[in-house]
Amino acid sequence: MDVTVAEYIRRTVLKIPRDEIKTMLQKWGFLSETQLQTINFHQIKENISQDVVQLCEENSADIKQAAVLDIIYNHIYPNKRVWSVYQMNKTVVCFSCVTGEETEFFDLTDFKKKFKRRLRSALKNVTINFREYEDNAVWIRIAWGTPYTKPNQYKTSYVVYHSQTPYVFISVSVLKSNLPLLCQALVVASNYHDIHEMELRSHSLNSLKDIVFKRYSQNFQTYYPRPLQERNVAPENGDLRIIQENRNEKERIQRVNQEVFGDGPQPKLEFAQYKLETMFKSDPKMDVLDEKEPFRCLVKFSSPHLLESLKSLAPAGMADAPLSPLLTCIPQKARNYFKIREKKGFFPGSFVSP
Amino acid sequence: GVFAHLEMLEARAHEAAVKQEETEQQEEKLARLKARVQELRLQRDELRAKVDLQQKGQLGKEGVLSDPAQPSARAVLEWKIKSVKAMLQVFYLTGISGKLTKRGVCFCISTAYEGTYLDSYHLDLLTKAEVQIHRHSVPIFIPLEQIAKKYLQTDIRRFLSVLSDHLNAYAGRRYQADQLQDRFSDRIEGTLQRNSLCNLLVFNYNVSSKSKTFPFNVRLLYGDLCCSLPTEVTVSCTPDAPASLAETAAAHSDLFRRVALHKAFRSFSSAEESVD
């Protein structure tokens, strides 16, 4: 077995939390159950990883099989990477699109073949692995090399693609120079015409999926008979002498919040960034940059869970309800990077770039 | 002679006695019933008196003559609410329901397949200027934009109907594939290859014949997105399979075209059971 492969397997195993190592190796399926029995999973990780490498040696593991273990790890812990969402388009120039009669079938084998062929025709030194999952997601792992060097297994890109959707989730890590090539291969393999990056990024892959696939809870007005929610204002056993003076306001805030954010959990985003290119408006007497040129400013909201914290701002009394639409439009517009320019005459409010 | 005569007299006496007993019994019964009638009449009179008393009592309390036959305002309101809720439930169950909003309409399309209710999807439409989709929860792989481009401006009814067809067919196809994976996983070899729209399914399953099992490969293509049955079915067996299985393959292929996937498998199982 190649020394680099051994080292790669060892390092991958070290990343896994000790309690999860056995299950992940079982999912991998490269080592037999009897072989796994011989490992003591209670010793320190250093030793566990050495034992695993030893067994892989016996089975003569190659880089392809080691890569599968890496995919499994990243599939279970996708939040360790930053994911970007890309959208693919079919331009209207395409004849079959104009008629609109073409039905999408998505043949997985065809997709994989086209992707590999396109990528390899431009760059021979790549390791490409595919893995399909139950939710119609295809995970692609690509390790990049150069025309003169072998693929570097530590410089990997991950792509997650759901069939028959125009969205691709890409985690690039390093080597942004390979991105155009990757995008081209994706477009060719999935029968689209072009691809562009959306302004939507997060650590939580599932939340990104929820946003673009519209799986998050939106509050629609319907007559759908839902059980009436329990009023949260349950009579407290506390002091009856305490009267809620602004009970009405509290209830209004709850109602407005529910209309905007819905009932369910919010998708998990870590930040929202607003690039302001608006004019600084000051007291005319102060003559500070007044109406001369745009005041460039970057406002960034960070949070372990941005949307949930926005949802709790008004009930906590820290902001007025309803919140600014610039904040609440994030899931619906499917973006968390905004450019705000000056309003152009008859457009109300700020002009948000598309 | 004498004995015969005696016998005849005895018989006559017996008859008379029986008759008399009968009449006595009748009379007893009649007396009993008469007494019962009296009893019931008495009860009726007592209850009548009670009702009269209550009415007079109410009169005394409220000073208003309230007719006990007419329901109270509260009861009427409750009945109205109940019947409106029932009406809304009926609309919801038809599959397409809507509610007017400040800026337009919000539609709810519910899906169902063969008696099982599945997911609901919503569309928030703006109708002030031209009709626009403001928000929706339709899955991204349903060709919503295409359908909207064709019908949304000209014929909303048709738009909703076509969209509902797409969603219901998708829900039906997904339901069949899920049922197959949940209930017949023991018959499927390897993984069931499917896609987001569930319009292409490829998998291998086992067919037993003469106590041997043979793998069949099947490719189901659902060309019509508004249909939950496949348009193209290819069932193939391995080259070394006996010739008789070719007939079975053709029969299965035909069945998949006509019948829901999980029902087809159910009939395979029962057919094989009856053969064994």
Side-chain angles (χ1 to χ4, degrees), chain A residues 143-209:
Chain A
W144 304 96
T146 69
Y148 313 103
T149 59
K150 278 201 323 186
N152 183 340
Q153 300 302 327
Y154 301 94
K155 289 194 161 43
T156 51
S157 298
Y158 271 90
V159 175
V160 178
Y161 178 59
H162 283 250
S163 54
Q164 295 161 321
T165 66
Y167 298 107
V168 190
F169 306 91
I170 303 184
S171 171
V172 177
S173 67
V174 288
L175 288 182
K176 297 247 162 74
S177 53
N178 287 314
L179 200 55
L181 181 58
L182 177 58
C183 289
Q184 236 185 21
L186 283 167
V187 158
V188 163
S190 53
N191 292 322
Y192 279 87
H193 294 118
D194 60 57
I195 183 172
H196 69 272
E197 188 177 0
M198 291 171 71
E199 304 286 348
L200 185 61
R201 260 159 244 135
S202 174
H203 278 279
S204 171
L205 176 62
N206 284 330
S207 292
L208 292 175
K209 288 188 193 183

Side-chain angles (χ1 to χ4, degrees), chain A residues 45-295:
Chain A
K45 281 212 282 192
E46 281 288 344
N47 297 347
I48 299 179
S49 62
Q50 297 286 9
D51 288 350
V52 171
V53 169
Q54 187 66 35
L55 290 171
C56 290
E57 186 87 54
E58 287 172 23
N59 290 13
S60 321
D62 65 17
I63 193 56
K64 278 243 161 187
Q65 281 137 347
V68 173
L69 183 61
D70 189 40
I71 296 190
I72 295 175
Y73 171 77
N74 278 286
H75 178 254
I76 298 182
Y77 298 103
N79 300 349
K80 297 230 184 275
R81 303 178 80 104
V82 176
W83 298 88
S84 241
V85 189
Y86 287 72
Q87 187 175 12
M88 297 189 283
N89 294 308
K90 286 192 204 276
T91 52
V92 194
V93 179
C94 159
F95 179 66
S96 57
C97 307
V98 168
T99 58
E101 296 307 329
E102 182 190 308
T103 311
E104 298 278 346
F105 286 115
F106 191 73
D107 197 327
L108 184 64
T109 350
D110 194 46
F111 173 83
K112 295 201 281 197
K113 201 165 57 175
K114 281 190 182 157
F115 182 83
K116 277 195 285 204
R117 194 167 45 189
R118 195 66 171 91
L119 207 57
R120 288 229 165 90
S121 69
L123 184 62
K124 287 223 164 30
N125 289 323
V126 279
T127 317
I128 307 174
N129 285 74
F130 297 91
R131 197 166 165 92
E132 298 91 59
Y133 285 94
E134 287 278 302
D135 55 349
N136 301 310
V138 180
W139 278 62
I140 314 176
R141 174 190 182 277
I142 305 119
W144 304 96
T146 69
Y148 313 103
T149 59
K150 278 201 323 186
N152 183 340
Q153 300 302 327
Y154 301 94
K155 289 194 161 43
T156 51
S157 298
Y158 271 90
V159 175
V160 178
Y161 178 59
H162 283 250
S163 54
Q164 295 161 321
T165 66
Y167 298 107
V168 190
F169 306 91
I170 303 184
S171 171
V172 177
S173 67
V174 288
L175 288 182
K176 297 247 162 74
S177 53
N178 287 314
L179 200 55
L181 181 58
L182 177 58
C183 289
Q184 236 185 21
L186 283 167
V187 158
V188 163
S190 53
N191 292 322
Y192 279 87
H193 294 118
D194 60 57
I195 183 172
H196 69 272
E197 188 177 0
M198 291 171 71
E199 304 286 348
L200 185 61
R201 260 159 244 135
S202 174
H203 278 279
S204 171
L205 176 62
N206 284 330
S207 292
L208 292 175
K209 288 188 193 183
D210 285 345
I211 290 175
V212 293
F213 295 157
K214 307 232 181 269
R215 299 192 305 211
Y216 64 98
S217 77
Q218 300 181 70
N219 207 23
F220 290 100
Q221 296 186 55
T222 59
Y223 289 123
Y224 175 26
R226 256 185 317 198
L228 282 168
Q229 279 184 317
E230 298 293 336
R231 296 195 171 242
N232 335 24
V233 199
E236 288 156 31
N237 295 330
D239 206 329
L240 288 171
R241 294 171 295 179
I242 300 176
I243 305 167
Q244 292 269 18
E245 281 303 328
N246 52 354
R247 185 192 292 271
N248 284 340
E249 178 63 11
K250 275 208 162 126
E251 285 181 4
R252 183 194 75 90
I253 291 176
Q254 287 280 24
R255 206 176 12 96
V256 167
N257 236 27
Q258 195 191 44
E259 274 171 37
V260 170
F261 289 98
D263 298 320
Q266 301 295 311
K268 193 164 186 217
L269 298 172
E270 293 87 44
F271 46 82
Q273 189 172 295
Y274 300 83
K275 202 166 181 181
L276 298 175
E277 287 172 7
T278 47
M279 297 299 196
F280 184 80
K281 289 192 173 39
S282 68
D283 190 339
K285 281 187 273 180
M286 286 174 69
D287 193 33
V288 182
L289 292 173
D290 193 29
E291 308 278 349
K292 288 202 183 105
E293 54 180 67
F295 185 73

Side-chain angles (χ1 to χ4, degrees), chain B residues 208-226:
Chain B
S208 43
S209 155
K210 302 192 183 83
S211 67
K212 276 209 284 190
T213 55
F214 296 93
F216 271 17
N217 175 275
V218 60
R219 185 170 191 268
L220 300 166
L221 195 83
Y222 299 76
D224 184 357
L225 287 182
C226 293

Side-chain angles (χ1 to χ4, degrees), chain B residues 109-127:
Chain B
I109 298 181
S110 313
T111 58
Y113 184 71
E114 297 202 345
T116 312
Y117 277 95
L118 302 167
D119 293 328
S120 297
Y121 303 97
H122 297 90
L123 283 150
D124 206 351
L125 299 181
L126 304 172
T127 53

